[in-house]
């Protein structure tokens, strides 16, 4: 028993430290404090968030009652809604040992911890659901922790908690759907709402989609399960009401008044541009104010998700629902009303498609179901993959001049990764190196 427990803990620790070491090495190379004179304090993190973190440290250490106290700010209003958005992550307590001039070091450590926790909880989810085992599980957990959304949004430090909360909510949801205790789902969903209501809204929408897919996979007592899901989701909202309801009221008096009133069913850009986001390094400064969703998770995960519809052992209704969920999320990236739905009725000011982390989770989870050690794809699958990959990369080569955030070398690297993945998956187990076959 002890040996099994130690094995699980060591697996999770490795899942935590792989992204921490990778990103810590990168930050050290870029001479971020404390490794040099540079820092992460740029854009909103340096212009807004750092002041809130300094304020948070001051009130926790010296005036703790002020955190929930509603007082006048600027031209009028109260601070509860602002605090709920910026400061209610419990991980902010890690900043307490870092006064003034050392705060940038504390923020870097905080970012690294969030990278690590994302890898840890995703690894925990895959092991809980018996989908992957070491060392393969670390490939999936690292891809999740270092997804394009995380790297592109690491300066929006208050959004990052959702990445380690999402696997915990999904695990609770699966347990709830399978007739188990509902309290893991209720507890983590409540925690998500209190931590950051904005990201929790996106998580809640995805949770409803994931529930529909889970029901389609099982096809038993769906009405009873639907009732349990609705009941306990409302329970989470009520348990977080002491934060949620005052925050909603505060928003209706301030930022909420700018919610879009006119809905137009129009495409915000050419959806084929999304293809470029599957290429390594498909991001630049111009993508911050506007652009396509950051959904890079690695070509192995993308191809693994595609193969789900051919090789996964799920029933065909589940695969139909999975396809519908995928189409819905992709359409949400560029169809205006769906985009507004995910963003609480307001167009994002910078950092578009903020909900794209759920799509990355979805791709990696489907890949984890499909890419089992015994998987070997047949000639039909190879042919279909070559057609899909060939079509996508042909489009990128022909339109690269119109996509500012990638170049030909990046496209070639992405194509190389895709071909290597197809070749490896087409080999029989005895032909693979021992490390891959484990």
């Amino acid at each position: 028993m002890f040996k099994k427990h130690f094995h699980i803990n060591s697996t999770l620790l490795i899942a935590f430290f792989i992204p921490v070491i990778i990103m810590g090495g990168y930050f050290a190379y870029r001479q971020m404090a404390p490794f040099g004179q540079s820092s992460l304090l740029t854009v909103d993190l340096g212009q807004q968030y750092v002041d809130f973190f300094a304020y948070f440290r001051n009130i926790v250490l010296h005036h703790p009652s002020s955190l929930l106290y509603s007082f006048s700010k600027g031209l009028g209003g109260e601070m509860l809604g602002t605090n709920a958005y910026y400061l209610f992550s419990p991980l902010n307590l890690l900043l307490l040992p870092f006064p003034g001039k050392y705060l940038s070091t504390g923020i870097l450590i905080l970012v690294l911890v969030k990278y690590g926790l994302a890898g840890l909880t995703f690894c925990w989810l895959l092991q809980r659901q018996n989908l992957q085992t070491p060392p393969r599980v670390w490939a999936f957990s690292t891809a999740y922790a270092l997804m394009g959304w995380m790297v592109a949004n690491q300066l929006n430090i208050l959004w990052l908690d959702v990445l380690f909360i999402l696997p915990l909510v999904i695990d609770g949801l699966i347990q709830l759907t399978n007739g188990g205790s509902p309290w893991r789902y209720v507890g983590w969903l409540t925690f998500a709402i209190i931590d950051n209501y904005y990201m929790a809204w996106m998580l809640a929408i995805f949770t409803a989609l994931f529930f529909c897919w889970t029901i389609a996979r099982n096809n038993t007592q769906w009405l009873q399960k639907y009732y349990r899901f609705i009941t306990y989701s409302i329970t989470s909202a009520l348990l977080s009401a002491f934060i949620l309801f005052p925050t909603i009221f505060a928003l209706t008096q301030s930022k909420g008044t700018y919610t879009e009133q006119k809905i137009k069913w129009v495409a915000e850009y050419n959806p084929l541009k999304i293809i470029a986001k599957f290429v390594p390094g498909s991001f630049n400064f111009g993508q911050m104010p506007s652009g396509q969703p950051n959904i890079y998770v690695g070509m192995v995960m993308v191809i693994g998700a595609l193969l789900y519809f051919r090789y996964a052992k799920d029933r065909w209704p589940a695969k139909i629902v999975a396809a519908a969920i995928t189409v819905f999320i992709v359409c949400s990236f560029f169809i205006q009303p769906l985009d507004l739905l995910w963003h609480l009725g307001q167009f994002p000011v910078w950092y578009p498609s903020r909900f794209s982390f759920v799509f990355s989770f979805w791709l990696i989870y489907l890949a984890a179901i499909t890419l089992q050690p015994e998987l070997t794809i047949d000639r039909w699958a190879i042919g279909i993959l070559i057609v899909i990959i060939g079509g996508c990369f042909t489009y990128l080569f022909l339109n690269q001049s119109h996509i500012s955030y990638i170049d030909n070398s990046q496209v070639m690297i992405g194509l190389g990764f895709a071909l290597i993945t197809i070749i490896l998956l087409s080999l029989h187990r005895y032909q693979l190196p021992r490390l891959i076959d484990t």
Side-chain angles (χ1 to χ4, degrees):
M1 185 69 179
F2 174 78
K3 183 177 180 181
K4 181 180 178 181
H5 181 72
F6 175 79
H7 174 70
I8 293 174
N9 285 344
S10 62
T11 300
L12 296 179
L13 284 175
I14 292 173
F16 176 89
F17 280 109
I18 289 176
V20 169
I21 292 172
I22 292 173
M23 292 308 300
Y26 171 76
F27 290 145
Y29 169 75
R30 295 301 298 268
Q31 296 187 327
M32 301 291 184
F35 305 108
Q37 299 301 314
S38 301
S39 76
L40 291 173
L41 303 184
T42 185
V43 195
D44 286 349
L45 181 55
Q47 298 169 6
Q48 297 181 41
Y49 305 157
V50 66
D51 294 326
F52 279 104
F53 292 145
Y55 157 75
F56 172 82
R57 184 179 182 277
N58 179 63
I59 62 175
V60 170
L61 293 179
H62 305 293
H63 309 286
S65 62
S66 299
L67 189 61
L68 294 177
Y69 180 70
S70 298
F71 59 90
S72 178
K73 61 172 182 181
L75 298 177
E78 44 68 47
M79 285 290 289
L80 183 59
T82 303
N83 286 346
Y85 182 70
Y86 287 96
L87 300 178
F88 280 3
S89 168
L91 294 181
N92 288 341
L93 295 173
L94 293 174
L95 299 175
L96 298 185
F98 300 95
K101 60 182 181 179
Y102 300 110
L103 190 56
S104 58
T105 297
I107 290 175
L108 183 138
I109 293 173
L110 182 58
V111 170
L112 289 177
V113 168
K114 294 188 180 188
Y115 271 108
L117 288 177
L120 185 151
T121 59
F122 194 78
C123 177
W124 182 81
L125 172 64
L126 295 187
Q127 289 194 296
R128 280 268 300 173
Q129 302 305 319
N130 297 313
L131 295 180
Q132 295 290 335
T133 57
R136 298 168 63 91
V137 70
W138 298 320
F140 295 91
S141 64
T142 302
Y144 178 74
L146 301 182
M147 67 170 67
W149 181 89
M150 184 71 158
V151 176
N153 290 282
Q154 63 184 352
L155 300 180
N156 293 302
I157 190 171
L158 60 159
W159 296 348
L160 305 185
D161 286 23
V162 73
L163 230 59
F164 76 82
I165 298 173
L166 175 55
L168 302 173
V169 173
I170 292 299
D171 178 73
L173 175 62
I174 294 173
Q175 180 172 292
L176 170 71
T177 307
N178 291 336
S181 171
W183 299 113
R184 179 176 283 119
Y185 170 71
V186 171
W188 285 114
L189 183 58
T190 303
F191 178 84
I193 297 171
I194 295 172
D195 183 275
N196 189 288
Y197 65 86
Y198 183 62
M199 305 310 292
W201 168 256
M202 304 173 194
L203 184 154
I205 295 177
F206 179 70
T207 298
L209 298 175
F210 195 94
F211 169 77
C212 294
W213 176 63
T214 305
I215 289 295
R217 297 182 80 192
N218 298 329
N219 195 34
T220 56
Q221 299 178 321
W222 64 269
L223 187 60
Q224 178 183 354
K225 292 177 180 179
Y226 178 81
Y227 173 78
R228 279 168 58 85
F229 172 71
I230 294 295
T231 300
Y232 289 109
S233 296
I234 294 174
T235 300
S236 291
L238 294 177
L239 289 174
S240 58
F242 73 101
I243 292 299
L244 185 60
F245 290 173
T247 299
I248 292 173
F249 176 77
L251 290 174
T252 60
Q253 307 302 310
S254 55
K255 194 176 187 296
T257 60
Y258 298 99
T259 300
E260 289 291 324
Q261 302 296 322
K262 297 181 180 180
I263 305 298
K264 299 179 181 179
W265 286 92
V266 297
E268 298 171 337
Y269 53 82
N270 181 359
L272 291 178
K273 288 186 175 182
I274 297 175
I275 297 173
K277 285 297 184 174
F278 294 107
V279 171
S282 52
F283 184 77
N284 61 13
F285 186 81
Q287 285 287 289
M288 295 172 72
S290 62
Q292 286 68 57
N294 296 295
I295 51 177
Y296 182 77
V297 292
M299 198 55 66
V300 174
M301 302 303 162
V302 175
I303 291 177
L306 289 174
L307 292 176
Y308 165 83
F309 299 98
R310 170 67 176 84
Y311 289 101
K313 297 177 182 179
D314 285 350
R315 302 165 57 253
W316 65 264
K319 294 183 179 181
I320 292 176
V321 173
I325 292 172
T326 304
V327 170
F328 175 77
I329 299 177
V330 170
C331 289
S332 298
F333 291 144
F334 63 91
I335 296 180
Q336 189 180 102
L338 301 180
D339 190 12
L340 288 171
L341 170 67
W342 288 90
H343 293 106
L344 279 173
Q346 296 183 358
F347 287 115
V349 179
W350 284 50
Y351 297 100
S353 298
R354 299 173 181 181
F355 61 93
S356 59
F357 67 93
V358 302
F359 186 66
S360 297
F361 173 94
W362 179 240
L363 291 180
I364 300 173
Y365 195 82
L366 292 182
I369 292 174
T370 310
L371 297 180
Q372 299 300 318
E374 67 276 7
L375 176 67
T376 303
I377 61 178
D378 56 34
R379 293 180 180 179
W380 283 103
I382 294 173
I384 293 173
L385 286 175
I386 289 176
V387 170
I388 294 174
I389 297 298
C392 290
F393 279 92
T394 298
Y395 170 81
L396 294 179
F397 278 118
L398 294 177
N399 294 273
Q400 190 274 316
S401 60
H402 303 294
I403 305 175
S404 62
Y405 47 88
I406 60 172
D407 55 35
N408 281 330
S409 63
Q410 290 173 266
V411 177
M412 288 296 294
I413 292 172
L415 178 58
F417 286 158
L419 294 177
I420 291 171
T421 301
I422 293 174
I423 292 172
L424 289 176
L425 290 174
S426 64
L427 297 175
H428 293 289
R429 290 191 73 195
Y430 64 85
Q431 295 175 297
L432 295 177
R434 180 64 183 170
L435 178 60
I436 300 176
D437 187 46
T438 301

